[in-house]
Amino acid sequence: IDVLDSLARVLQLGPVERDHLVALAGHSIRATGDPTGSDVPEWAERLLSSMDPAPAYLLGLTWEYLAWNESQAHLFPPMVDLPPHERNLVWVMFALPETRELIVDWPSEARRVLSQFRADITPWRAEPAVVDLVARLRAISTEFDEWWERHDVAGFETRLRRFDHPTDGRLTFEYQQLIPAGRTDLRFVVQLPVAEPQDEQEQHDVG
């Protein structure tokens, strides 16, 4: 670990890049839980419901959708009817054409998602489910196939994401991520509605 830390400093790696390097060398970095599936506690369902009207969902270790609230289902109805092996955030981002139509500046958002996903699943990268998911994504998405080879990694950061919703029009949300104490295999993602300044909104509309 000391040698890897020294190497990370020489290469001027950030915290997420350093952890990625350590994990690739075979050392455990927050590698807890079962990557083949997670249960959804009753309190998790209650927490999701309490977040309405903010869209929110629950992810497992390899970014599989485990549960969501009614507002999330309204924001993106296609996810509700997906078969179990496709209920994954990265699959939805790259494989579903509806996502490209919904998310404003999809290429930038998709690359951000991919870099965060690569960093998060490093401890599980050899698991059959992860290998299969990556293979299917590389086969169905030229962007995923190209960007996967760049090996970019990044950590989650609070940010704004904009949507062009087919019935609700332009929507802007602030993304927040919550990891419950004692269940580091779960993460809640909540999208808080925000109002953009009028001049910034007009700039996006023109662009």
Side-chain angles (χ1 to χ4, degrees), residues 4 19 68 72 79 89 96 99 104 118 171 182:
L4 293 171
D19 285 353
W68 51 84
Q72 177 64 28
M79 67 180 295
L89 189 153
L96 271 61
T99 309
V104 177
R118 179 186 282 279
L171 302 172

Side-chain angles (χ1 to χ4, degrees), residues 2 8 13 16 24 41-42 49 70 73 75 79 97 106 108 123 137 140 144 148 158 161 174 178 181 183 197:
D2 291 340
L13 301 182
V16 174
L24 288 176
E42 290 185 10
S49 296
E70 292 184 5
L75 178 64
M79 67 180 295
W106 177 88
S108 175
L137 281 165
I140 200 171
F144 183 95
W148 186 252
T158 297
R161 179 179 286 176
E174 178 186 88
L178 311 174
R183 288 301 304 266

Side-chain angles (χ1 to χ4, degrees), residues 24-46:
L24 288 176
H27 300 281
S28 176
I29 298 294
R30 195 167 57 84
T32 60
D34 180 5
T36 62
S38 299
D39 63 303
V40 180
E42 290 185 10
W43 56 261
E45 297 278 8
R46 291 193 292 271

